[in-house]
Amino acid sequence: MAGKFSRSWELMKASAAVLRSDKSLLMFPLASGLCCLLVAASFLIPMILAFAGAEGAGEVHGRALSMGGYVVLFLFYLVQYFVIIFFNTALAGAALMRLRGEPTSFAAGFAIARARIVNIFGYALIAATVGLVLRALQERLGLIGRLVAGFLGLAWTVATFLVVPVLASQDVGPTDAIRHSVDLLKRTWGENIIGNAGLGVVFGLLMFLAILVSAGIIVGAVAMQSVAAIIVAVVIVAVGITLLGLIQASLQGIYAAALYRYAEEGQVGYGFDQAMLEQAFKPKK
């Protein structure tokens, strides 16, 4: 187990080296985040206005809203998943290009995702359905439903971790991409689980420290009793936390691309050590 943690840490460091060599990879999670905010606003604002109007007219009915809510929730999941998967596919495509030593750009990654748009939409449809089913389990079965949904959600996340690089590199449908991801999972189980857990722990600690530092900055600005200082402090905090999130998302995309490339092709790329990857993966029997 210690060896797996060590290899996963080395894989994360190699992913960071790829990101340092091509900072344009940060643009994909940034574009994804901005588009997701727009999607959320386009759904939430009309829903809030409609609910306020219905409440004012005394037309709120729990059962009707529940059914309508599930429809709206599914559509929201579908659009959000499509946006996220689209830009993650673009990131994975650009990362794979970088690992092969090819020149990359935001436009090149975007073009890869655009060429797979039908397959991406199909996978988003499946992911939205899974998300809605898990949400229904949580709401209808209480504590047991939350436990079951949490376990199934974790299993789904692990099993589909390599779907995005599969979509980025192969012209296959969503169900075939899921099956292929599951097959690759058998070869990347340790690095898949531990590497993602390691990324989560590292960035969880960094986010905790960032929140503490941010609180200190804002409190200091408030103590100065200066509106300008408060505005500057809020901007610094927002930029810092956003940048931290972008780095995490980019590293996860690069990490997935590296795992996929070696598991699928048996090749390494920029910043990754051949011996390290050979120890990490074993041929499927």
Side-chain angles (χ1 to χ4, degrees):
M1 181 63 70
K4 286 188 177 295
F5 273 108
S6 176
R7 288 195 301 271
S8 296
W9 177 250
E10 292 300 319
L11 286 169
M12 283 187 288
K13 286 169 60 179
S15 299
V18 174
L19 181 59
R20 285 195 300 270
S21 72
D22 189 356
K23 296 179 179 60
S24 68
L25 296 174
L26 290 169
M27 294 298 296
F28 297 107
L30 175 60
S32 177
L34 292 175
C35 290
C36 284
L37 288 176
L38 292 175
V39 170
S42 68
F43 273 86
L44 290 177
I45 293 175
M47 285 178 62
I48 292 172
L49 294 176
F51 182 80
E55 189 176 45
E59 298 176 352
V60 176
H61 304 288
R63 183 180 180 86
L65 282 177
S66 176
M67 294 298 295
Y70 274 115
V71 173
V72 174
L73 184 62
F74 176 77
L75 293 175
F76 174 70
Y77 279 168
L78 177 60
V79 178
Q80 283 282 68
Y81 277 126
F82 175 78
V83 168
I84 293 169
I85 295 166
F86 181 90
F87 284 104
N88 283 351
T89 302
L91 170 60
L96 287 168
M97 291 175 64
R98 185 63 180 171
L99 290 171
R100 291 192 293 264
E102 301 171 4
T104 61
S105 65
F106 180 82
F110 191 90
I112 291 173
R114 186 176 58 190
R116 304 284 193 264
I117 195 167
V118 174
N119 297 333
I120 289 171
F121 180 81
Y123 180 51
L125 189 63
I126 294 173
T129 302
V130 172
L132 190 67
V133 170
L134 295 180
R135 178 65 178 267
L137 286 175
Q138 290 178 335
E139 292 185 351
R140 296 180 180 277
L141 299 182
L143 177 60
I144 295 177
R146 287 193 292 272
L147 292 174
V148 172
F151 175 79
L152 293 177
L154 177 61
W156 171 259
T157 299
V158 172
T160 59
F161 180 65
L162 295 178
V163 167
V164 166
V166 170
L167 289 174
S169 60
Q170 301 182 30
D171 187 12
V172 296
T175 55
D176 288 335
I178 293 171
R179 281 195 292 266
H180 197 45
S181 176
V182 172
D183 179 61
L184 292 175
L185 173 64
K186 299 172 184 178
R187 311 179 212 174
T188 65
W189 176 264
E191 268 56 39
N192 188 329
I193 301 295
I194 297 174
N196 277 292
L199 275 172
V201 170
V202 170
F203 279 92
L205 292 174
L206 289 176
M207 188 62 73
F208 177 73
L209 292 175
I211 292 173
L212 291 180
V213 173
S214 299
I217 292 174
I218 293 176
V219 169
V222 171
M224 294 173 64
Q225 297 183 343
S226 168
V227 175
I230 293 174
I231 293 174
V232 171
V234 171
V235 171
I236 291 174
V237 168
V239 171
I241 292 178
T242 300
L243 183 59
L244 191 61
L246 293 178
I247 292 173
Q248 180 180 8
S250 299
L251 289 181
Q252 286 176 328
I254 296 169
Y255 186 84
L259 288 182
Y260 166 78
R261 186 163 188 255
Y262 191 82
E264 180 71 21
E265 305 172 8
Q267 297 180 8
V268 296
Y270 183 95
F272 287 86
D273 179 75
Q274 176 80 31
M276 172 184 64
L277 288 169
E278 285 178 348
Q279 292 175 1
F281 305 116
K282 292 182 171 61
K284 179 183 175 183
K285 296 182 180 179

